[in-house]
């Protein structure tokens, strides 16, 4: 496509280049020594080169009109997308220091994982196919009590960042313990993240009580607010069955004071529904609304059991709902009414939840399962189409978490969080419809390159910010200790 709307809005460098070309032309007409004089502007052009050009057979912009550019390119400088358009035009307008070729590559925005517990990668597959309470009380909680410390969180989060980069996730919203360590790992690995200070009214690996977690969380927020533009410290009250109404209100007040969002588990399981009715005389989201908890940016994870009235509240309050289909299926939480919520105008994104209940962080699989689950639950094969679900994983997810002005689409002026998917493996043959393939075929192993803020984190499958051999060794050693302890305990 050569529509003019794709031409760069940011033309600073282009006009400089045009000017140089013009000057060069003038010199030529004035002097017979044209070749030498032409050399000078060429050197200046190199000095003025932008950082990176990423090309693809298709560039899927995920902008509001859903534009797809064939044989397209994205121009990146100083962490921003400065232009997007046909590769021939971008290449003639800009010199770039880095260049990713586009043959058999699809370029698109990085994926947004709206709900994770990253360090739980270390508990991947530690126990499966159990009743929720058996799984939690005999495996997950004991392993967490004994093993979750700063070091566990460092290794587990590095492992998660490795996997997310592998799979083309560029932004994630995390909730776990020792958030300072999570932030340090994210700072190092180059991803973008919202990192929650978890508030829970029980003894946890990093706090004694809700009051203690509020104090410690505040120091984390103060420590990281405004420190790194990729890292947003937020509040993560766990849920309405692990905190009382007063503690929930206190957390909202702290978030409002700091000007940061909240991420919380919301209406996840039938247990939660019953608990809320019995304890508060109303369902979870009605409780949140009644205490003013939704008076600020809120990311609600799961939302499997909302009532009709609650769906209205979610839409009115612009709550970002994060759908986690794999986790909902694996621990039998139920089927979230995603189609109804989208129809009611609720902002819905996608997430993986922790790797203990998934068991990976593959957002491509979440897209596929989200779509299939809606089709079978509504008995309508048109439900949650490929393009709708791709939007949930990119621009829709960005909107749900309040980052749509920065990421989620490829547009001039947005942060350069861009991925290339390699379309050369057997399952892409033939390719009739690239959007269909992205949702119904692609896996995390198909991602070729990943940039965040214009910085390459993975190039042609090579990891540039993580020492994967060291992480693998450390994770394997720690997992062996966890396995031995659980075997001893459950003997
Ligand atoms: Zn969760």
């Amino acid at each position: 496509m050569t529509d003019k709307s794709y031409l760069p809005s940011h033309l600073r460098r282009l006009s400089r280049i045009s000017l140089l070309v013009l000057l060069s032309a003038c010199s030529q007409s004035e002097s017979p020594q044209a070749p030498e004089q032409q050399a000078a502007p060429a050197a200046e052009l190199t000095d003025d080169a932008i950082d990176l050009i990423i090309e693809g057979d298709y560039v899927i912009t995920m902008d509001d009109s859903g534009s797809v550019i064939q044989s397209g390119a994205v121009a990146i400088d100083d962490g921003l997308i400065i232009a997007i358009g046909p590769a021939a035009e971008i290449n003639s307008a800009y010199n770039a220091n880095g260049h990713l070729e586009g043959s058999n590559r699809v370029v698109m925005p990085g994926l947004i994982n709206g709900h994770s517990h990253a360090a739980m990668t270390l508990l991947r597959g530690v126990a499966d196919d159990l009743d929720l309470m058996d799984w939690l009380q005999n495996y997950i909680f004991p392993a967490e009590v004994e093993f979750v410390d700063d070091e566990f969180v460092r290794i587990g989060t590095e492992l998660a960042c490795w996997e997310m980069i592998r799979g083309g996730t560029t932004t994630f919203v995390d909730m776990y313990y020792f958030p300072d360590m999570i932030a340090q790992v994210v700072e190092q690995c180059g991803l973008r993240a919202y990192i929650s200070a978890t508030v829970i009214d029980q003894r946890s690996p990093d706090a004694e009580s809700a009051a203690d977690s509020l104090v410690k969380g505040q120091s984390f927020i103060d420590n990281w607010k405004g420190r790194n533009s990729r890292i947003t410290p937020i509040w993560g009250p766990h849920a309405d069955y692990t905190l009382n109404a007063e503690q929930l209100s206190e957390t909202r007040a702290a978030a409002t004071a700091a000007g940061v969002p909240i991420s919380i588990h919301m209406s996840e399981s039938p247990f939660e529904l019953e608990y809320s009715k019995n304890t508060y005389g109303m369902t979870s989201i009605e409780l949140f609304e009644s205490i003013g908890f939704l008076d600020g940016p809120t990311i609600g994870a799961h939302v499997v059991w909302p009532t009709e009235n609650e769906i209205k509240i979610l839409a009115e309050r612009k709550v970002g709902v994060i759908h986690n289909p794999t986790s909902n299926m694996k621990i039998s939480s139920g089927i979230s009414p995603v189609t109804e919520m989208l129809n009611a105008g609720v902002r819905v994104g996608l997430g993986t939840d922790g790797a203990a209940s998934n068991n990976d962080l593959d957002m491509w699989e979440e897209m596929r399962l989200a779509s299939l689950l809606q089709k079978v639950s509504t008995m309508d094969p048109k439900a949650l189409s490929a393009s709708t679900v791709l939007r949930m994983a990119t621009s829709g997810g960005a909107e749900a978490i309040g980052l749509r002005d920065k990421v989620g689409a490829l547009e001039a002026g947005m942060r350069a969080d861009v991925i290339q998917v390699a379309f050369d493996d057997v399952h892409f043959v033939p390719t009739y419809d690239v959007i269909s393939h992205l949702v119904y075929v692609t896996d995390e192993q198909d991602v070729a390159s990943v940039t965040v803020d214009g910085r390459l984190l993975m190039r042609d499958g090579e990891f540039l910010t993580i020492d994967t051999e060291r992480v693998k060794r450390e994770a394997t050693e720690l997992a062996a200790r966890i396995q031995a302890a659980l075997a001893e305990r459950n003997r």
Side-chain angles (χ1 to χ4, degrees), residues 172-452:
F172 68 109
V173 178
D174 204 45
M175 182 194 282
Y176 209 56
Y177 306 107
F178 301 98
D180 267 298
M181 180 53 80
I182 303 173
Q184 284 172 44
V185 171
V186 171
E187 185 160 60
Q188 196 75 34
C189 78
L191 286 171
R192 187 182 306 285
Y194 277 7
I195 299 167
S196 313
T198 299
V199 183
I200 188 164
D201 194 22
Q202 63 191 39
R203 194 159 171 245
S204 74
D206 66 355
E208 292 301 316
S209 61
D212 190 27
S213 50
L214 274 160
V215 171
K216 287 176 173 152
Q218 188 62 54
S219 91
F220 163 69
I221 305 267
D222 294 343
N223 195 12
W224 283 90
K225 187 138 191 283
R227 180 160 150 189
N228 181 321
S229 61
R230 286 185 287 106
I231 296 171
T232 308
I234 67 171
W235 282 101
H238 180 264
D240 77 340
Y241 58 91
T242 47
L243 292 164
N244 62 36
E246 197 184 323
Q247 292 160 338
L248 289 166
S249 296
E250 264 183 78
T251 315
R252 170 52 73 190
T256 303
V260 299
I262 272 180
S263 169
I264 184 167
H265 293 102
M266 198 179 266
S267 199
E268 177 176 0
S269 66
F271 155 78
E272 202 172 325
L273 199 64
E274 282 312 301
Y275 177 90
S276 193
K277 277 190 210 159
N278 294 337
T279 312
Y280 305 110
M282 57 187 114
T283 48
S284 305
I285 297 161
E286 284 174 348
L287 165 77
F288 293 140
E289 174 70 342
S290 74
I291 61 171
F293 184 80
L294 304 177
D295 289 353
T298 309
I299 301 164
H302 298 294
V303 191
V304 179
W305 298 97
T307 61
E308 214 172 297
N309 180 49
E310 287 182 319
I311 291 178
K312 265 190 219 146
I313 296 173
L314 294 169
E316 274 165 26
R317 294 308 208 137
K318 299 185 166 55
V319 171
V321 167
I322 304 300
H323 177 42
N324 302 262
T326 306
S327 170
N328 293 166
M329 286 193 274
K330 187 156 186 275
I331 54 184
S332 304
S333 299
I335 302 174
S336 173
V338 172
T339 306
E340 269 176 74
M341 287 195 281
L342 286 173
N343 288 343
V346 178
R347 302 169 171 190
V348 189
L350 284 176
T352 57
D353 209 355
S357 62
N358 188 304
N359 294 357
D360 58 34
L361 306 177
D362 185 345
M363 285 289 292
W364 306 95
E365 190 178 33
E366 296 306 316
M367 280 192 257
R368 185 148 56 244
L369 290 175
S371 174
L372 300 182
L373 194 53
Q374 288 303 297
K375 293 179 197 311
V376 76
S377 70
T378 59
M379 287 305 283
D380 176 7
K382 297 189 287 306
L384 221 58
S385 68
S387 59
T388 302
V389 85
L390 191 62
R391 188 162 292 283
M392 287 165 65
T394 53
S395 55
E399 189 181 25
I401 66 169
L403 274 185
R404 180 61 183 85
D405 58 334
K406 293 194 174 67
V407 298
L410 305 182
E411 292 166 314
M414 305 276 283
R415 304 307 306 175
D417 293 9
V418 185
I419 65 172
Q420 267 187 329
V421 181
F423 258 45
D424 42 24
D425 212 334
V426 60
H427 57 189
F428 294 108
V429 183
T431 296
Y432 295 110
D433 178 339
V434 66
I435 304 282
S436 158
H437 274 22
L438 286 171
V439 170
Y440 297 123
V441 171
T442 304
D443 296 314
E444 60 186 3
Q445 288 79 9
D446 294 314
V447 176
S449 76
V450 174
T451 69
V452 172

Side-chain angles (χ1 to χ4, degrees), residues 98-111:
H99 205 120
L100 299 183
E101 296 300 331
S103 175
N104 282 332
R105 297 287 183 271
V106 171
V107 177
M108 59 178 282
L111 305 176

Side-chain angles (χ1 to χ4, degrees), residues 123-164:
L123 300 175
R124 188 200 314 270
V126 73
D128 297 308
D129 311 322
L130 299 171
D131 283 333
L132 180 62
M133 284 305 151
D134 185 15
W135 179 71
L136 278 176
Q137 286 168 357
N138 295 317
Y139 295 90
I140 301 300
F141 288 158
E144 287 190 330
V145 165
E146 190 169 346
F147 289 98
V148 175
D149 57 13
D150 242 23
E151 192 64 357
F152 178 104
V153 170
R154 178 185 65 78
I155 299 169
T157 308
E158 282 191 293
L159 192 57
C161 289
W162 171 9
E163 185 178 355
M164 285 191 277

Side-chain angles (χ1 to χ4, degrees), residues 468-489:
T468 55
E469 281 308 312
R470 173 185 56 72
V471 175
K472 186 177 178 181
R473 190 180 61 244
E474 290 177 340
T476 308
E477 281 167 13
L478 183 46
R481 283 167 45 215
I482 294 170
Q483 191 168 31
L486 286 176
E488 177 67 24
R489 185 178 187 280

